[in-house]
Amino acid sequence: MAMAKLLTRLDLRGGPGGLAELKARLPAPKAGGHGPVQAVREILAAVKEGGDAAVAELTRRFDGVAPVSLRVPPDQVKAAAAQVDAELRHALEEAAGAIRSFHEAERAAHRGFEHKSEHGVITRELLVPVGRAGCYAPGGRAPLASTVLMTVILAQVAGVEEVAVCSPPGPDGRVATAVLAAAAVAGV
């Protein structure tokens, strides 16, 4: 059986074709226009007005699943960490440690910024954590457990007090086990 070529090497160092060749091989995405923006506005308005019932209806409409509950019970999240392959669990734990170390070092290295212009205008950067953060982990054909780690741990290191993760259910109505395992590893 012949394998399809999945990757193509692209030399970004320049070359005879230069920038024109690069642009031809990496065309810019076309703007979606106002359609997607309007669709998102309608979804946000529906959720603002209808709350959880609207989210359940949108889940039925977009994911083809009628959720029994919008919240995964904590014991199911903990159980997912034990259900995944030991190698995946270890990889999630290693990644979580590396992500946490990176963001802690980044936070420690940040000294802030303040500048006073000759006209007396002061420009200042302040880092202040929000009280709550909602983190989205894509689901579907490729649930991204890594996104849980990268968003949740960043929020935790930043000092966010309340962190929630949202992820769409699969056809069986359940959130992917790997996504739940990552949530357990991240402590959310």
Side-chain angles (χ1 to χ4, degrees), residues 106-118 121-128:
E106 184 179 46
R107 183 175 180 183
H110 186 272
R111 301 286 182 244
F113 172 81
E114 185 169 314
H115 172 63
K116 186 172 183 178
S117 76
E118 62 185 61
V121 175
I122 297 174
T123 306
R124 181 179 298 142
E125 177 188 41
L126 299 173
L127 300 181
V128 180

Side-chain angles (χ1 to χ4, degrees), residues 38-154:
Q38 185 56 35
V40 170
R41 284 187 178 133
E42 290 171 10
I43 290 168
L44 292 174
V47 171
K48 186 175 183 179
E49 183 179 315
D52 287 354
V55 172
E57 172 53 29
L58 290 164
T59 302
R60 186 202 59 72
R61 183 172 136 205
F62 292 122
D63 300 314
V65 177
V68 175
S69 173
L70 296 178
R71 182 179 291 250
V72 176
D75 60 325
Q76 191 177 335
V77 175
K78 280 185 181 178
Q83 291 170 353
V84 294
D85 179 81
E87 192 172 353
L88 175 58
R89 167 71 187 230
H90 179 71
L92 291 171
E93 290 168 348
E94 286 289 317
I99 293 164
R100 187 171 303 283
S101 293
F102 174 83
H103 288 302
E104 286 172 349
E106 184 179 46
R107 183 175 180 183
H110 186 272
R111 301 286 182 244
F113 172 81
E114 185 169 314
H115 172 63
K116 186 172 183 178
S117 76
E118 62 185 61
H119 304 292
V121 175
I122 297 174
T123 306
R124 181 179 298 142
E125 177 188 41
L126 299 173
L127 300 181
V128 180
V130 295
R132 290 179 170 171
C135 302
Y136 179 77
R141 290 184 216 114
L144 296 179
S146 59
T147 300
V148 174
L149 299 177
M150 290 185 286
T151 56
V152 169
I153 293 170
L154 171 60

Side-chain angles (χ1 to χ4, degrees), residues 1-10 25:
M1 175 165 89
M3 295 274 299
K5 188 173 181 182
L6 298 176
L7 298 174
T8 302
R9 175 178 261 170
L10 182 59
R25 295 193 66 190

